[in-house]
Amino acid sequence: MSHIQNSYENQKTNSISRPRYGCAIGAMYTASAIPGVVPITHCGPGCADKQYVSLAFYNGFQGGGYGGGAVPPSLNASENEVVFGGNERLKELIQASIKVIDADLFVVLTGCIPDLVGDDVPSVVSKYQEKGVPIVYAETGGFKGNNYTGHELVTKAIIDQYVGEYKGEKKKNVVNVWTEIPYQNPFWRGDLAEIKRILEGIGLEVNILFGHESKGVKEWKEIPKAQFNLVVSTWLGLSTAEHLEKKYGQPFLHIPVIPIGAKATSEFLRKVSDFAGLNQEKTEQFIQEEEKLYYKYLEDFSDFYAEYWWGVPSKFAVVGESSYNLAISKFLVNQLGLIPVKQIITENPPEEHKDNIRKEFENIADDVSVSPLFLEDGYLIEQALINSEEKPAIILGTTWDRDAAKQLGGNIVEIGFPSSYEVILSRANVGYRGALSLIEKIFTIAISASA
């Protein structure tokens, strides 16, 4: 790593400008991403609304869905709850919510105020659990971390308090998938649908758990019966899989690289198939069918790629969370032959995972190695991009990186939070089909810049 890179990582700032994540209570969108689940926010006024505006609205304009947006009941804690505590108000809020909202499961999430004043939320919620009300709680005060932390707190809360104990048989060829955070990644709906499609293609029954293709809490109840857990991420979901291994005796397979493009996706499917003990012939048949179609489209693209002489980018930077950053960097290097010049990781992964993440970037390809920067502050990220020794012609980043792209005279493709200039519904970037969509997006932006 160069001295210049070190200087950015070593700079201490007293604030984080242009953050690329929500606070822990942003995990209310982990809850609402499960069909039929409604979060109840036990926090100050404005906390829940800010999470909606930042994560679900000005981030791909994803919408709040059944349980998000303006739906979640909130305590709106004021001076009275700070001085006297909010337990009684929380009881009233839960009672009213049960009465007027049709939900399969309620998830109470706490904010900074109740966690600081010491509200006994477990005691309040447990009274309703004892009555058979489907409700759980997660303590997600903002000082505990960002919404990556909150996401894992909520998933574990649902597993421990709602799914519960299980001692029965496991179902062969059934898998639970743990990968991207709903809403934080604006492409999560399309990505999860593609991951589910390709895993089913090789013969697995998939508990995808979040999004329109999930069966909601009914699917979560099936978690303990699955043959294994699949973690597709550099680090997120690992602690959940380890928890499930201890709780239900389920093994897990960890694949750090989210597959994008034929090369990575086929390798991914072979690893999963081998771990699950699937029929190899069926796996290869599916891979061949998918690759045949994928490379037909890539052949169509090759005319443009070889002959377009006016501004196709060769050098790129990626600014985003470690899993997506790694996946996209590997795809652009290995499938399109582009040159990585700056990779900036923004979600502040736990320290114990950073060395493994660095190793993955050092092995982007057989002959390509990258030293990623771990930065959270928007100012430092911008400076690192602008002062890069080699200037990226295209930045795959966020809305916050548009100014840097302008100063560099380059292009921006929004692939992460916040994506405020993208309307994203079912579009994916992963797997076979998502990779083709990503190619279309990158090169449409590149050639339209001169229009």
Side-chain angles (χ1 to χ4, degrees), residues 315-330:
K315 296 179 181 177
F316 72 95
V318 184
V319 184
E321 62 178 18
S322 56
S323 295
Y324 232 49
N325 196 323
L326 177 65
I328 288 174
S329 296
K330 273 185 170 282

Side-chain angles (χ1 to χ4, degrees), residues 6 16 54 69 107 134 151 165-166 170 188 214 217 219 235 280 299 332 359 372 379 389 397 415 443:
N6 266 324
I16 297 176
S54 59
V107 178
H151 174 77
E165 300 302 318
Y166 178 76
K170 298 288 186 287
W188 68 280
S214 165
V217 295
E219 192 173 76
W235 65 273
Q280 297 299 311
E299 182 182 344
L332 297 182
K359 288 176 185 173
Y379 172 76
E389 294 171 9
I415 50 92
F443 291 98

Side-chain angles (χ1 to χ4, degrees), residues 59-60 62 180-194 324 328 397 413-417 419 422-430 434 437-438 441:
N59 185 34
Q62 302 173 60
E180 302 168 9
I181 297 185
Y183 289 91
Q184 166 69 28
N185 185 324
F187 296 94
W188 68 280
R189 290 174 294 197
D191 286 353
L192 293 190
E194 175 67 354
Y324 232 49
I328 288 174
V413 177
E414 296 188 355
I415 50 92
F417 173 86
S419 290
E422 291 279 342
V423 177
I424 303 166
L425 297 176
S426 62
R427 198 161 16 122
N429 291 323
V430 310
S437 174
L438 182 58
K441 184 68 180 179

Side-chain angles (χ1 to χ4, degrees), residues 241-272:
E242 289 165 354
H243 182 63
L244 292 170
E245 183 177 51
K246 186 176 180 182
K247 189 178 183 73
Y248 300 128
Q250 284 175 318
F252 67 88
L253 173 63
H254 177 210
I255 298 179
V257 184
I258 300 173
I260 302 179
K263 186 173 187 294
T265 306
S266 298
E267 288 176 2
F268 166 81
L269 291 177
R270 290 188 179 106
K271 284 181 185 173
V272 175

Side-chain angles (χ1 to χ4, degrees), residues 143-218:
F143 49 84
K144 291 192 173 179
N146 57 26
N147 55 327
Y148 289 77
T149 303
H151 174 77
E152 302 229 87
L153 289 170
V154 166
T155 54
K156 287 177 186 172
I158 296 174
I159 290 165
D160 288 344
Q161 299 171 45
Y162 180 73
V163 177
E165 300 302 318
Y166 178 76
K167 303 291 185 185
E169 296 291 321
K170 298 288 186 287
K171 290 184 178 178
K172 190 170 172 52
N173 299 345
V174 178
V175 61
N176 307 314
V177 176
W178 307 97
T179 178
E180 302 168 9
I181 297 185
Y183 289 91
Q184 166 69 28
N185 185 324
F187 296 94
W188 68 280
R189 290 174 294 197
D191 286 353
L192 293 190
E194 175 67 354
I195 290 171
K196 180 178 167 74
R197 184 187 74 83
I198 61 176
L199 290 174
E200 287 177 343
I202 62 172
L204 287 169
E205 183 180 331
V206 182
N207 293 329
I208 200 68
L209 302 175
F210 301 99
H212 298 321
E213 302 209 17
S214 165
K215 297 172 185 169
V217 295
K218 180 182 175 186

